[in-house]
């Protein structure tokens, strides 16, 4: 892992189609509309984030993991899309905390014997809402859920028509259902409070 306070960008990046969708969130136009109450504060790490994978071609992705929303960042973790991807890569690769360790276990159970970088070609991990709740694991206004689903989530999932979509936790499950997305597998969250 990197020294505390340092920001470095790794080369491991999602497919260009995903970068195209997600780059629209920097900053998201909804910050001046439905998401006015959400936090856009890059210096404090409050940016849309919490996604990783799909580092090969889109048709290699077998599983899409949908989490609720990212937890609170630490200042200096990330200020840009590239830094956000680097931070997510490091956090998952090195198991920075129980959530990331459980995610790594899940990936190892799905693709035993493959390296983490090889696993990232087969999975896309994303959030149902790309910004943190006002407090970690707290509620997010329904208007924000809808906005994020319309702008980002549906478009991301549309890139993986043959992949198994897994909603991790009740918030992710309810948000997918409210967005009219069906046919997904329900599972427990990797982090608190549902883990």
């Amino acid at each position: 892992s990197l020294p505390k306070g340092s920001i470095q960008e790794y080369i491991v990046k999602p497919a260009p189609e995903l970068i195209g969708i997600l780059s629209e969130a920097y900053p998201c136009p909804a910050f001046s509309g439905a998401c006015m109450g959400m936090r856009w504060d890059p210096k404090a790490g409050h940016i849309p984030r919490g996604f990783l994978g799909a580092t090969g071609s889109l048709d290699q992705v077998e599983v899409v993991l949908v989490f609720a929303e990212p937890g609170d960042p630490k200042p200096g973790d990330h200020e840009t899309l590239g830094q956000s991807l680097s931070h997510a890569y490091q956090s998952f690769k090195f198991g920075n905390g129980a959530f990331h360790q459980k995610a790594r276990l899940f990936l190892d159970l799905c693709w035993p014997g493959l390296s983490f970088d090889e696993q990232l070609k087969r999975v896309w991990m994303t959030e149902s809402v790309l910004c943190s709740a006002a407090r970690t694991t707290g509620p997010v206004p329904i208007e924000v859920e809808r906005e994020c689903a319309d702008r980002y989530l549906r478009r991301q999932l549309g890139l993986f028509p043959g992949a198994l979509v897994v909603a991790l936790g009740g918030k992710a499950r309810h948000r997918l259902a409210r967005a009219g997305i069906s046919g997904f597998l329900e599972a427990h969250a990797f982090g608190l409070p549902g883990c």
Side-chain angles (χ1 to χ4, degrees):
S1 118
L2 291 176
K4 190 164 185 71
S6 69
I7 297 175
Q8 177 179 343
E9 291 195 27
Y10 282 81
I11 303 224
V12 176
K13 297 221 183 332
E17 296 88 342
L18 287 160
I19 293 291
I21 292 169
L22 295 168
S23 64
E24 296 172 19
Y26 290 83
C28 178
F31 283 124
S32 61
C35 300
M36 213 183 251
M38 301 303 282
R39 295 175 281 181
W40 169 258
D41 185 0
K43 293 285 183 205
H46 280 289
I47 59 174
R49 65 199 184 285
F51 33 80
L52 185 66
T55 56
S57 63
L58 293 175
D59 61 354
Q60 288 179 283
V61 173
E62 300 171 24
V63 176
V64 177
L65 301 178
V66 180
F67 309 116
E69 72 276 328
D72 280 340
K74 295 180 183 85
D77 278 350
H78 31 63
E79 297 177 20
T80 67
L81 173 59
Q83 292 166 352
S84 170
L85 289 164
S86 294
H87 181 77
Y89 178 81
Q90 294 171 69
S91 296
F92 282 103
K93 180 166 182 134
F94 300 114
N96 295 348
F99 171 84
H100 297 102
Q101 291 167 11
K102 288 177 185 172
R104 282 300 304 276
L105 175 61
F106 179 88
L107 297 178
D108 288 340
L109 290 170
C110 287
W111 300 286
L114 291 184
S115 70
F116 178 61
D117 288 344
E118 283 298 313
Q119 291 170 345
L120 287 182
K121 293 178 182 175
R122 292 163 173 79
V123 66
W124 175 241
M125 297 180 277
T126 193
E127 307 280 355
S128 57
V129 170
L130 297 179
C131 297
S132 297
R135 78 179 156 72
T136 298
T137 74
V140 171
I142 193 86
E143 300 79 24
V144 172
E145 290 181 16
R146 282 191 204 113
E147 190 72 35
C148 218
D150 290 344
R151 284 186 185 274
Y152 308 110
L153 184 59
R154 269 202 272 284
R155 292 170 60 201
Q156 291 174 68
L157 296 179
L159 296 174
F160 309 108
L164 172 66
V165 176
V166 182
L168 290 153
K171 286 168 93 175
R173 178 179 67 245
H174 295 305
R175 289 173 183 165
L176 285 172
R178 282 193 291 266
I181 298 164
S182 60
F184 57 86
L185 181 67
E186 300 175 18
H188 291 287
F190 292 154
L192 295 173
C195 68

